Amino acid sequence: MSEPKTKTITAAVLVIGDEILSGRTKDKNIGYIADYLSAIGIDLSEVRIVPDVQDDIVAALDALRHRYTYVFTTGGIGPTHDDITADAVAKAFGVELYEDQRIIDILLQRLKPEDLNEARRRMARIPVGGTLVENPMSRIPGFRIGNVIVMAGVPTIMQAMLDSAAKDLETGTRMIIENFDAHDLPEGAYAQDLGALAERFPDVSIGSYPSMVDGKFRNQIVARCKDAGQLEGARVEINAMIARLTAERK
Amino acid sequence: MSEPKTKTITAAVLVIGDEILSGRTKDKNIGYIADYLSAIGIDLSEVRIVPDVQDDIVAALDALRHRYTYVFTTGGIGPTHDDITADAVAKAFGVELYEDQRIIDILLQRLKPEDLNEARRRMARIPVGGTLVENPMSRIPGFRIGNVIVMAGVPTIMQAMLDSAAKDLETGTRMIIENFDAHDLPEGAYAQDLGALAERFPDVSIGSYPSMVDGKFRNQIVARCKDAGQLEGARVEINAMIARLTAERK
């Protein structure tokens, strides 16, 4: 057996928030995190969106954190009663929450001591064993415990926290991606050949993605692989297939 | 015991597609379905995004279809080898796929018989016991089996199928929603009072949603309830709270 040439690191995203499920807020974090992780060599493998219900959050955390290298949560870490992510994460890990003095200090830099009320102190509660995830955007940090990284839901703040968390993440081999425009070929015209081609390249993930532009289908083929050599083999064959089928239809 | 005044119908969305997880395609269906279901009185309660892997799709289907009134899937019903949703749904229900002559007829209206290849016939495969979900946009239908509604991933087609499927859905009491602008109040200034208020209205779902506009936080409070009377009680108190706290800060 030779050493594997590629390394795979996986992740899941857990979006916590009634406001996404009700339609009030349109999620902008999933697509951002998907792009971000792809770029640094982490394979996003599953996403779940759950409501602000502790049992649901704990169940999702437990399902995801045992299966994937990392779990990124977004939402539910503010000062209000519906912000229950820290409690849920602590419960999933079977630990208590403590009040982190570093976060209290950050809060006191912007608040008068008499304004540091119980609700605001909630934002300083971190599960025992957790480490802080810096937030250059609005200062109050997220946290990481084990393989779970807990971030804010507000996109600009989430993005700042993701930058901070990424410094300590193990990353794998980046997926290399080739896009192919199928031009006027309908999916049904190349589906059979593409399926046979995909079987010849089992380590290359090959997909066909239709979209509608001005009422007409426009199809793209995408090939993804961590090994440049295998991807190159598939690339040559896909281009040849598109050229051949396009010529046949003329 | 009096009769319950409200009726709850729940749903989950299962997005099937490597292209969403890789970041290549940004999902536009979750937010649309969330709004749509809210408007017709169905509570979207969970969303999952899984890759084009049959075991993962089957596991998610089984977790969701036993828990929620309906499950809506998007993606994976085209003619190419990576379109495996029908197979996964059939496996989850323990039934075979059959070739539906009505879909073959639709395909033959636009194709020469010699172009009706094996790949295109894949789109006519429906799990035994399934019913068709009409697609006025591009004709080839989705399907429904039990409480699972299987739709395309292309947003305009998904939307057309959702319109068709909705005619046969049981709907519940619509959630009534009140939005409150917290103006210049920081969350930390009202979190404690809002938490106490939320405890007095256990049937009203009250959330606080910060967003960042031009680098400044802007907070909204949202109260949701199916009972107009209870919501009105919460509405009066939330408005009074915002007015009082705003006056105190001046």
Side-chain angles (χ1 to χ4, degrees), chain A residues 98-116:
Chain A
Y98 74 96
E99 188 173 88
D100 193 287
Q101 187 59 41
R102 292 166 294 179
I103 308 179
I104 295 291
D105 291 343
I106 289 172
L107 287 164
L108 283 173
Q109 283 169 25
R110 62 168 73 169
L111 290 170
K112 290 179 231 160
E114 63 266 31
D115 285 339
L116 184 60

Side-chain angles (χ1 to χ4, degrees), chain B residues 141-160:
Chain B
F143 62 85
R144 171 175 171 177
I145 177 168
N147 63 339
V148 175
I149 295 105
V150 174
M151 307 187 291
V154 176
T156 50
I157 302 175
M158 187 285 296
Q159 293 165 20

Side-chain angles (χ1 to χ4, degrees), chain A residues 4 6 14 19-20 44 59 70 82 92 97 104 113 127 143 159 186 195 200 202 221 226 235 238 246 249:
Chain A
T6 60
L14 177 60
E19 72 278 20
I20 305 292
L44 179 58
Y70 297 112
D82 54 329
L97 293 162
I104 295 291
F143 62 86
Q159 292 165 20
R200 290 197 298 280
I221 296 167
K226 299 191 173 196
R235 189 187 68 78
I238 293 170
T246 302
R249 288 172 65 87

Side-chain angles (χ1 to χ4, degrees), chain A residues 212 217, chain B residues 106 110 135-141 152 154 156-157 160-161:
Chain A
M212 276 199 126
F217 275 109
Chain B
I106 289 171
R110 61 168 73 169
N135 165 13
M137 175 63 60
S138 58
R139 300 293 313 283
I140 302 164
V154 176
T156 50
I157 302 175
M161 289 179 174

Side-chain angles (χ1 to χ4, degrees), chain A residues 77 85-91 93-107 118-133 140-146:
Chain A
I77 61 168
T85 300
D87 306 78
V89 173
K91 189 171 179 195
F93 280 85
V95 299
E96 299 293 314
L97 293 162
Y98 74 96
E99 188 173 88
D100 193 287
Q101 187 59 41
R102 292 166 294 179
I103 308 179
I104 295 291
D105 291 343
I106 289 172
L107 287 164
E118 197 188 321
R120 287 183 163 120
R121 294 187 100 104
R122 282 172 59 80
M123 292 189 287
R125 297 177 316 143
I126 302 292
V128 172
T131 55
L132 304 190
V133 172
I140 302 164
F143 62 86
R144 171 175 171 178
I145 177 168

Side-chain angles (χ1 to χ4, degrees), chain A residues 17-26 30-32 34-35 38 43-52 56 67-68 78-83 110 115 117-120 123 137-138 154 156-157 177 179 186-192 194-195 198 205-212 217 220-222 224 249, chain B residues 17-26 30-32 34-35 38 43-52 56 67-68 78-83 110 115 117-120 123 137-138 154 156-157 177 179 186-192 194-195 198 205-212 217 220-222 224 249:
Chain A
D18 290 348
E19 72 278 20
I20 305 292
L21 293 168
S22 72
R24 179 197 172 275
T25 303
K26 300 295 175 285
I30 296 170
Y32 182 92
D35 283 334
S38 289
D43 300 344
L44 179 58
S45 305
E46 182 170 348
V47 175
R48 297 194 189 184
I49 309 176
V50 297
D52 301 328
D56 291 345
R67 180 160 187 198
Y68 304 108
T80 55
H81 65 281
D82 54 329
D83 291 308
R110 62 168 73 169
D115 285 339
N117 56 34
E118 197 188 321
R120 287 183 163 120
M123 292 189 287
M137 176 62 61
S138 58
V154 175
T156 49
I157 302 176
I177 302 161
N179 289 284
E187 277 196 303
Y190 62 72
Q192 218 144 322
L194 189 67
S205 164
I206 299 176
S208 171
Y209 303 114
S211 56
M212 276 199 126
F217 275 109
Q220 277 215 326
I221 296 167
V222 178
R224 301 162 67 244
R249 288 172 65 87
Chain B
D18 290 347
E19 72 278 20
I20 306 291
L21 292 169
S22 72
R24 179 197 171 273
T25 303
K26 300 296 175 285
I30 295 170
Y32 183 92
D35 282 335
S38 289
D43 300 345
L44 179 58
S45 305
E46 183 170 347
V47 174
R48 297 193 190 185
I49 309 177
V50 297
D52 301 328
D56 290 346
R67 179 160 188 197
Y68 304 108
T80 55
H81 65 281
D82 54 330
D83 291 308
R110 61 168 73 169
D115 286 338
N117 56 32
E118 197 188 320
R120 287 182 163 119
M123 293 190 285
M137 175 63 60
S138 58
V154 176
T156 50
I157 302 175
I177 302 160
N179 289 284
E187 277 195 304
Y190 62 72
Q192 217 146 319
L194 189 69
S205 163
I206 298 176
S208 172
Y209 303 114
S211 56
M212 275 199 127
F217 275 108
Q220 278 216 326
I221 295 167
V222 177
R224 301 161 67 245
R249 289 172 64 86

Side-chain angles (χ1 to χ4, degrees), chain A residues 143-165:
Chain A
F143 62 86
R144 171 175 171 178
I145 177 168
N147 63 339
V148 175
I149 294 105
V150 174
M151 306 186 292
V154 175
T156 49
I157 302 176
M158 187 285 296
Q159 292 165 20
M161 289 179 175
L162 187 55
D163 280 337
S164 301

